[in-house]
Amino acid sequence: MVKIDGRTALYGIIGNPIEHTLSPGIHNAISGALGINAVYVPFKANGDLKAMVKGLYSLGVKGLNVTVPYKTEIIKELYGIDPMARSIGAVNTLKYTEHGYYGYNTDILGLSRELDDEGVELAGRHAVILGAGGAARAVAFLCASKRPASITIINRTIGRAQDLKTDVSQYAAGNGMYELSENVEVLQDTQASELKYDDCIVFQCTSVGLAPNDNEAVINDEEFYKKISTGVDLIYRPSETLFMKNVRKAGKTAHNGLKMLIYQAVSAYEIWNGISVPDEVVENLRRMLV
Ligand code: NAP
């Protein structure tokens, strides 16, 4: 039971649509478990982002998450931005500071923590990204930061994949990873079986397969699935997507995006409150959401 008084700190999420969000349940459960006097609510945005951010800031809202379609547009309303979020070009977490809101991207922190939990090591490996939208951009930069041998971006719209390739190659070169910067490649999704590498770690970052379209996968070619050692689908509803089924049918390991979702929220909570959320609280969140 949430107790609200004159000292309750207010947090929330801005997006549209927002009705489906799981974030209030996650954040309020963490506050409840840790006995922190805070409440987290959804804010349905309707266009005037500048006025909304100004209003929330002047009311002292301590932290905000930002979701579709505002993760990029929000950047111009911030006083500062974390360098990795700047490279990605997307922010999902705002922290109140005395100068204005400061932006982070905790989607990549969330995925990084999921990979640590599952023992997935990217250094020296071949990373493959299905998609070139907002989530794929974050994943591509996370992969690059972990120094893989190569990154292949596979997308329906090849131009978007090429744009992402340019940005990731520049990031790699700018951070001294010259060999990687030469090994970022693109493929059209219809040519996925032409992937050059075996034993790949594949991140499914398209919206294909999202409930209720459980029987769809962006790639159905069996040859492609033979080249995967681990598949990570960012989708968490359904808990086993057709992409994951195909990976498992090929005898390989697959994970969904639930831990990423939980850890992006946990990472935002930690940034806002300057604390570390204990493992047992994270495990209880996972049980609550399975
Ligand atoms: P987005 O920016 O809209 O990008 C969608 C991507 O899917 C694009 O690459 C798009 O290709 C591709 N796509 C869509 N329909 C397709 C189709 N019929 N055939 C082939 N490709 C198709 O979306 P997003 O924000 O990146 O989100 C992508 C997914 O990641 C969503 O399912 C979302 O729920 C999930 N996600 C999960 C987490 C988590 O915490 N677990 C976090 C963020 C996102 P084109 O470029 O050709 O249009």
Side-chain angles (χ1 to χ4, degrees), residues 32-200:
L34 301 181
I36 290 178
N37 188 0
V39 69
Y40 182 110
V41 296
F43 294 108
K44 186 167 184 171
N46 47 23
D48 193 346
L49 202 56
K50 191 178 196 66
M52 197 163 31
V53 170
K54 203 171 162 204
L56 292 168
Y57 183 78
S58 58
L59 288 170
V61 174
K62 295 286 175 226
L64 289 160
N65 285 129
V66 182
T67 188
V68 176
Y70 298 111
K71 286 186 183 183
T72 299
E73 200 185 331
I74 195 80
I75 292 174
K76 62 181 186 307
E77 310 307 334
L78 307 179
Y79 112 85
I81 176 169
D82 169 73
M84 189 55 146
R86 163 107 37 221
S87 298
I88 296 166
V91 157
N92 78 323
T93 297
L94 313 188
K95 180 182 167 74
Y96 183 97
T97 77
E98 61 182 30
H99 309 293
Y101 286 117
Y102 191 88
Y104 300 85
N105 188 307
T106 67
D107 285 333
I108 71 160
L109 300 176
L111 181 58
S112 182
R113 288 170 81 164
E114 168 165 359
L115 296 181
D116 289 348
D117 258 18
E118 306 296 359
V120 179
E121 174 70 60
L122 276 161
R125 305 289 301 278
H126 297 294
V128 176
I129 300 181
L130 304 182
R137 283 191 68 84
V139 173
F141 279 90
L142 174 72
C143 287
S145 74
K146 305 250 176 195
R147 299 178 176 269
S150 70
I151 299 176
T152 306
I153 302 158
I154 303 179
N155 197 40
R156 175 179 60 179
T157 307
I158 198 76
R160 282 183 100 186
Q162 270 153 351
D163 290 347
L164 181 53
K165 169 188 161 149
T166 304
D167 294 348
V168 170
S169 298
Q170 271 173 11
Y171 169 84
N175 285 279
M177 294 179 270
Y178 303 108
E179 219 176 305
L180 174 61
S181 74
E182 299 293 320
N183 285 318
V184 183
E185 291 158 45
V186 298
L187 276 178
Q188 182 92 47
D189 58 358
T190 49
Q191 303 167 327
S193 61
E194 290 173 24
L195 178 65
K196 285 206 303 209
Y197 308 104
D198 288 316
D199 206 25
C200 297

Side-chain angles (χ1 to χ4, degrees), residues 131-135 155-157 160 189 205-208 210 218 234-236 257 260-261:
N155 197 40
R156 175 179 60 179
T157 307
R160 282 183 100 186
D189 58 358
C205 310
T206 78
S207 41
V208 182
L210 194 60
V218 69
L234 267 57
I235 291 173
Y236 48 86
M260 174 180 174
L261 172 81

